[in-house]
Amino acid sequence: MAEAQFKVFRGEGAKGELFEFPVEVTEGMVVLDAVQQIQSRHANDLAVRWNCRAGKCGSCSAEVNGKPRLMCMTRMDELSLDVPVLIEPMRGFPHMKDLVTDVSRNYEINKKIRPLTPKPRETDGTYRMQQEDIERIQEFHKCIECFLCQNVCHVIRDHSVKEFAGPRFLIRIASLAMHPLDTLNRLKELKDVFGLGYCNITKCCTEVCPENIKITDNGIIPLKERVAGAFYDPLAWLWKNLTSNSKKIPEKNK
Amino acid sequence: MESYEVKEHDVLVIGAGGAGLRAAIEASAQGVSVGLVCKSLLGKAHTVMAEGGMAASLSNADPRDNWEVHFRDTIRGGKHINNWQMVEIFCQEAADRVSELEEWGALFDRTKEGLIAQRNFGGHRYPRLAHVGDRTGLELIRTLQNYGIHQGFEVYMECCVVELIKEKDQVCGAFGFWRESGQFIVFKAKSVVLATGGLGKVYRVTSNSWEGTGDGHALAYRAGAELVDMEFVQFHPTGMVWPPSVQGILVTEGVRGEGGILKNSDGKRFMFEYIPDAFAAETSDSEEEASRWLKGDPEARRPPELLTRDVVAKAIRSERIAGRGSPHGGAFLDIASQRDAEYIKKKLPSMYHQFMKLGNLDITSTPMEVGPTCHYVMGGVRVEPETAMTTVKGLFAAGEVAGGLHGANRLGGNSLTDLLVFGARAGFHSAKYSKEIAEALNPSEDLLKKMERFSLEPFDPERTENPYSVMADLQETMEINAGIVRTKDEMEKGLELLQDLKNRGEKVRVEGNRQYNPAWHYALDLKNLLCVAEAITLAALNREESRGGHTREDFPESSEYFQNVNSFISDKEGSMFIENREREPMPEHLEKLL
């Protein structure tokens, strides 16, 4: 049986250090298995969040060898086991204990987003929507709220910006703004409350998304186009030309 | 005694999966103050794992469908021991509860006409499951979450309930702690809704997350409520079997709904050999007919892979025992030979991703290896069909924690709709109940002291047992002694072993402090798991027949006596007591639907 070494960050309130643990490696093992093995054998009180073990709940986000990942979807055979595997909490959030961080800010931002305000039903009591009109939003609905995108977003990491919702919530607003049933105009709050303008499209969020949502190209850029168009920004013309490759979206909010 | 944080609500909902969220939404709509407590972060509950869809006779895909056919399918799938009053309410209200989600933002896959698309699933006569690819649970929970946060209820995330508080025969709150700080919190409430989900963690191979520790079952039992049908545990036929670290993770029934077939190591499509007589009339008896069905021939009967879960799980097990299993002890589930790669990726995206990532296997070209995994418990807290009230005053239950709706075997897709229908009912009736009460009773100081002492016992340095080891041994014991196929001898042995495990459970020792300490949480969960393990084993020993999810090697046939009774478990002076009681006969207007 192969053995690997793990270095796991342990401590409370950002004060802590790396502790080294041996891990017995079995076929097909993922990093979360290793962390749970450490927990059951060597460090019973090791704090870590996990739920589904299948990349569906977004609970076990952490930094594996410095890279933000879901631990349950990171296979050990992707990693070099010649050197210790480094497991640290997400850096973008206040630290609580061991691998657990305080992600409550995300829930506060979400609460500020006005809920779907649907148009009335058809006379037969149904809603009719064509598959091709909802496909883009279904992509955004794949979000499992692992908050890895919020974690890596450098606008959020630059704490001087207070009013920036971050990629997760910009695509959530995009999913409402592009929703065939929604009747609200969300452009002003996107600009003034959620700080859409702060995003300068470095696409760090898209790169870490375990659901492969094209956060920037399919969500944020189209929103920026709408906001630019709606508020007669003198740069609108230039902007549209710079981003002419981005996909077209329904014109509902214009 | 510590000073506690005290929170007061008219209705306290424990659990924030589909049922809990739906209950909180409905109770809030009645204008009462509502608190919602969840062990994890909001939106992470096990509902998020549901894949295939939610069953409701919208009849968008087949005009022949209606609530009456859904009723028939559910009772037949439940092998006739369901609480028929619950099934009637369920089938009649399912469509409204599903449609209402659209107003709250859910985006189901669409038909060509722009309506909610519906897919085939095991045991459902017509395509009935509203779905979003294979991530329907995520859509459900996120929709309820994002709608719910604007309805005025308060959410207590990462907060665990240790015990219900009961004064004068009436539930009046709950005692718990914050996972982050380890500090205690007391909830005062005029009524409490249990929506704690299942108990899959009582078995080693399970699709359930760490949260599925039977908390609500055990809390209700200890508060004096009755449990019903605890012998009926659903082993889903298709869990991943390889590699070992993913064993048990669910492979959606949607794979078979979309045309996937099951083969043994000889390459034979074996389900044709396992068609029960009661289902023969509506099941294909040849590959040719099954293939016509897949192409959409309305005259062709459904393929045998879409028989109910109990039948398919047992068939896979039998093939393995006969030496025709896959290399890692399962069966081959093949969709690659039935559908093109693009279709598979579109309809089953997370299955594609899951196998690619965790199993190094491309399901669009290679069959998957699958085998049974503990998935769901049909049994649960006994409730009034109309109100979702348990046998204890002020205590309600909805969703997986409640028993009765699914009988001996749950049909796939009926769970998500169950959460909505009975979540809403529990929310409505708990609010109504609370409005009639002037003030919640105050918990006595003695009781709170007792609960505090009980909660902190695992920190006693005299103790010796590792909570992780005791839990692992419990899971192994249940796997062996009260698993998918059961015998009297094994279960009697199991009950003895459970006594030992209980003793060990009382010696569980937790290191470290109270702040975010998973070992402590496990130690407290363990008490609940031991309680439900005993209930399952006792009920399974009592039912001397085979039916649905309950299979006895020593009683392989179904019996007429047991068809007419349900088993009820309650606490009698500190011991678990079980009795069988006859079900009220089904009225004629429902009987004729079967």
Side-chain angles (χ1 to χ4, degrees):
Chain A
M1 197 69 71
E3 199 179 85
Q5 291 298 314
F6 268 62
K7 281 187 175 175
V8 182
F9 184 87
R10 298 210 63 189
E12 279 170 41
K15 288 192 213 86
E17 55 186 303
L18 293 167
F19 284 78
E20 201 159 330
F21 300 100
V23 167
E24 195 183 310
V25 182
T26 55
E27 191 178 347
M29 196 172 189
V30 294
V31 167
L32 180 62
D33 294 322
V35 169
Q36 290 184 309
Q37 193 190 97
I38 292 167
Q39 195 184 42
S40 66
R41 294 183 188 176
H42 309 293
N44 285 184
D45 58 343
L46 174 68
V48 55
R49 285 196 182 102
W50 68 278
N51 285 62
C52 79
R53 310 178 54 88
K56 295 194 170 75
C57 75
S59 300
C60 63
S61 305
E63 303 201 356
V64 179
N65 288 338
K67 284 196 186 134
R69 311 281 298 259
L70 290 179
M71 289 190 283
C72 73
M73 296 303 271
T74 306
R75 285 174 61 119
M76 297 280 281
D77 55 17
E78 293 172 36
L79 308 170
S80 162
L81 301 182
D82 300 336
V83 289
V85 178
L86 194 60
I87 310 288
E88 294 164 289
M90 288 193 283
R91 290 165 214 259
F93 297 105
H95 185 244
M96 280 163 61
K97 183 180 166 188
D98 301 342
L99 300 177
V100 176
T101 56
D102 178 3
V103 293
S104 57
R105 181 169 176 267
N106 296 302
Y107 290 87
E108 287 156 24
I109 298 168
N110 196 34
K111 220 171 168 175
K112 287 190 199 158
I113 301 174
R114 291 188 288 165
L116 181 87
T117 308
K119 63 186 187 188
R121 289 177 177 272
E122 315 268 332
T123 45
D124 64 357
T126 65
Y127 281 123
R128 288 182 192 254
M129 293 177 261
Q130 291 306 312
Q131 185 65 37
E132 66 249 35
D133 294 333
I134 62 166
E135 236 144 65
R136 173 58 41 78
I137 319 166
Q138 285 188 324
E139 178 193 351
F140 302 151
H141 280 202
K142 277 162 49 185
C143 172
I144 56 175
E145 296 199 332
C146 63
F147 303 130
L148 287 173
C149 58
Q150 303 285 95
N151 176 47
V152 297
C153 176
H154 61 91
V155 182
I156 295 180
R157 287 194 178 196
D158 172 3
H159 296 292
S160 63
V161 180
K162 294 285 177 229
E163 61 276 38
F164 184 61
R168 190 289 169 258
F169 299 100
L170 292 176
I171 62 143
R172 171 148 148 67
I173 301 169
S175 79
L176 290 162
M178 298 178 193
H179 198 298
L181 302 183
D182 193 44
T183 54
L184 298 182
N185 185 327
R186 299 170 186 272
L187 298 183
K188 190 170 185 315
E189 66 220 49
L190 266 168
K191 182 166 73 72
D192 298 341
V193 180
F194 298 111
L196 178 68
Y198 287 108
C199 168
N200 48 12
I201 339 182
T202 53
K203 303 197 184 182
C204 309
C205 51
T206 304
E207 275 169 35
V208 295
C209 178
E211 287 293 315
N212 301 313
I213 302 169
K214 302 257 182 311
I215 302 172
T216 334
D217 287 355
N218 291 348
I220 294 178
I221 291 175
L223 287 181
K224 278 178 175 274
E225 285 179 342
R226 288 185 183 195
V227 169
F231 295 98
Y232 306 104
D233 190 320
L235 294 174
W237 176 86
L238 183 63
W239 178 254
K240 271 191 180 155
N241 281 286
L242 282 174
T243 60
S244 56
N245 286 334
S246 66
K247 299 261 173 70
K248 282 284 172 286
I249 48 162
E251 300 286 296
K252 180 166 57 96
N253 277 358
K254 290 205 171 167
Chain B
M1 192 167 105
E2 292 184 20
S3 63
Y4 307 122
E5 180 180 0
V6 179
K7 291 283 177 180
E8 195 163 348
H9 291 287
D10 294 315
V11 174
L12 180 72
V13 181
I14 305 174
L21 276 163
R22 190 64 189 81
I25 288 169
E26 196 64 29
S28 298
Q30 303 310 312
V32 299
S33 142
V34 179
L36 178 66
V37 190
C38 50
K39 290 211 284 192
S40 285
L41 295 170
L42 189 62
K44 308 296 183 193
H46 202 58
T47 305
V48 87
M49 290 288 288
E51 293 163 354
M54 50 187 99
S57 56
L58 301 160
S59 44
N60 292 343
D62 194 318
R64 292 173 292 184
D65 202 15
N66 56 48
W67 79 263
E68 295 177 329
V69 189
H70 193 185
F71 179 90
R72 166 193 178 273
D73 293 347
T74 302
I75 298 274
R76 281 163 57 92
K79 316 298 168 190
H80 300 271
I81 66 149
N82 319 54
N83 179 313
W84 53 261
Q85 290 101 326
M86 287 177 87
V87 182
E88 185 179 21
I89 290 169
F90 170 74
C91 295
Q92 287 177 346
E93 295 180 1
D96 285 349
R97 292 288 83 75
V98 171
S99 317
E100 154 187 276
L101 290 180
E102 282 200 299
E103 279 171 45
W104 300 347
L107 282 169
F108 296 104
D109 289 353
R110 316 307 293 182
T111 64
K112 285 194 191 76
E113 296 75 36
L115 299 170
I116 296 174
Q118 295 180 275
R119 71 156 44 119
N120 280 298
F121 237 58
H124 293 282
R125 188 163 196 182
Y126 301 119
R128 190 174 284 146
L129 270 66
H131 61 277
V132 188
D134 55 2
R135 51 163 196 83
T136 314
L138 174 64
E139 189 77 8
L140 170 70
I141 200 163
R142 203 66 84 230
T143 300
L144 294 177
Q145 176 186 347
N146 286 333
Y147 178 78
I149 54 175
H150 299 286
Q151 306 312 308
F153 55 79
E154 195 159 340
V155 183
Y156 302 85
M157 294 200 292
E158 299 201 307
C159 185
C160 299
V161 166
V162 180
E163 208 67 270
L164 295 174
I165 299 171
K166 198 174 146 192
E167 292 288 346
K168 296 180 187 157
D169 292 332
Q170 190 164 316
V171 166
C172 57
F175 181 88
F177 64 91
W178 292 102
R179 293 178 73 198
E180 182 193 347
S181 64
Q183 297 297 307
F184 292 122
I185 177 165
V186 172
F187 294 99
K188 278 177 66 183
K190 295 174 184 168
S191 67
V192 172
V193 178
L194 295 172
T196 50
L199 47 71
K201 284 309 270 185
V202 79
Y203 290 95
R204 182 172 59 79
V205 181
T206 175
S207 65
N208 287 196
S209 81
W210 70 273
E211 293 192 285
T213 47
D215 297 358
H217 295 79
L219 291 173
Y221 171 81
R222 291 199 293 267
E226 254 182 2
L227 306 178
V228 60
D229 294 341
M230 289 301 288
E231 62 273 39
F232 295 109
V233 176
Q234 180 164 75
F235 294 85
H236 193 292
T238 61
M240 290 178 84
V241 295
W242 191 258
S245 66
V246 299
Q247 196 181 15
I249 292 180
L250 187 66
V251 180
T252 175
E253 189 167 325
V255 176
R256 283 169 287 137
E258 296 296 345
I261 59 171
L262 287 163
K263 292 195 283 198
N264 63 21
S265 59
D266 300 336
K268 187 176 173 204
R269 195 170 165 185
F270 58 83
M271 279 309 299
F272 289 104
E273 312 295 319
Y274 294 92
I275 304 170
D277 292 344
F279 289 83
E282 56 199 60
T283 308
S284 293
D285 56 12
S286 69
E287 292 199 37
E288 180 275 325
E289 186 181 359
S291 139
R292 276 194 285 121
W293 176 87
L294 187 61
K295 292 192 182 102
D297 178 354
E299 299 307 314
R301 294 171 298 176
R302 307 161 56 75
E305 279 83 5
L306 289 178
L307 286 162
T308 54
R309 289 176 174 176
D310 51 333
V311 176
V312 182
K314 277 180 271 185
I316 292 174
R317 185 178 178 276
S318 302
E319 286 296 308
R320 189 193 70 211
I321 288 170
R324 296 187 292 269
S326 67
H328 303 102
F332 293 106
L333 175 60
D334 175 17
I335 179 105
S337 68
Q338 305 294 309
R339 296 281 192 187
D340 64 60
E342 200 182 325
Y343 183 90
I344 297 169
K345 285 189 205 168
K346 168 84 193 118
K347 280 298 188 182
L348 303 162
S350 56
M351 285 304 103
Y352 173 74
H353 184 63
Q354 182 175 312
F355 273 91
M356 205 55 138
K357 195 83 190 167
L358 299 175
N360 262 346
L361 185 141
D362 181 353
I363 66 167
T364 66
S365 62
T366 315
M368 300 156 246
E369 269 189 79
V370 294
T373 178
C374 174
H375 184 53
Y376 189 86
V377 59
M378 276 69 75
V381 184
R382 181 189 153 205
V383 290
E384 281 288 317
E386 291 278 332
T387 62
M389 173 117 95
T390 69
T391 49
V392 173
K393 271 196 264 177
L395 184 63
F396 296 75
E400 189 171 351
V401 68
L405 172 64
H406 305 292
N409 171 65
R410 175 175 70 79
L411 295 185
N414 271 359
S415 178
L416 289 189
T417 331
D418 172 13
L419 309 182
L420 298 172
V421 170
F422 291 102
R425 279 187 168 262
F428 179 87
H429 288 282
S430 59
K432 190 170 169 224
Y433 179 93
S434 293
K435 282 182 188 174
E436 286 159 11
I437 288 181
E439 204 174 347
L441 295 170
N442 272 316
S444 74
E445 210 157 281
D446 278 355
L447 187 65
L448 296 181
K449 261 188 202 159
K450 204 173 119 193
M451 289 177 179
E452 176 187 327
R453 210 166 43 237
F454 159 74
S455 306
L456 294 177
E457 274 169 357
F459 288 101
D460 177 355
E462 302 287 300
R463 294 171 155 229
T464 49
E465 291 280 353
N466 176 335
Y468 297 88
S469 310
V470 180
M471 194 178 283
D473 290 348
L474 168 63
Q475 291 161 343
E476 196 60 33
T477 299
M478 288 300 284
E479 197 80 28
I480 294 169
N481 296 293
I484 184 165
V485 173
R486 301 155 173 180
T487 66
K488 180 166 184 273
D489 292 347
E490 282 171 352
M491 286 186 286
E492 281 173 348
K493 175 95 189 295
L495 285 175
E496 276 172 36
L497 292 171
L498 286 177
Q499 280 308 321
D500 292 345
L501 285 161
K502 264 193 205 168
N503 295 337
R504 287 176 62 195
E506 280 168 21
K507 296 194 193 91
V508 157
R509 158 96 169 100
V510 172
E511 284 164 18
N513 59 26
R514 279 161 62 178
Q515 274 167 299
Y516 218 111
N517 186 340
W520 185 31
H521 312 155
Y522 275 41
L524 295 174
D525 290 344
L526 191 57
K527 189 170 165 101
N528 297 335
L529 278 175
L530 284 161
C531 171
V532 295
E534 186 181 351
I536 292 168
T537 312
L538 195 65
L541 189 60
N542 163 71
R543 186 169 282 270
E544 296 185 329
E545 65 156 359
S546 292
R547 181 179 299 275
H550 170 69
T551 305
R552 290 282 299 257
E553 204 164 62
D554 41 0
F555 296 94
E557 304 299 324
S558 296
S559 96
E560 205 182 314
Y561 166 73
F562 278 107
Q563 172 153 331
N564 296 321
V565 299
N566 296 84
S567 69
F568 297 86
I569 284 178
S570 57
D571 177 84
K572 284 261 154 52
E573 285 142 22
S575 304
M576 218 173 247
F577 170 79
I578 185 162
E579 65 177 335
N580 296 320
R581 294 205 294 266
E582 261 191 52
R583 211 169 23 260
E584 202 180 315
M586 201 182 282
E588 205 180 324
H589 75 280
L590 295 176
E591 185 76 51
K592 75 174 203 290
L593 301 177
L594 306 176

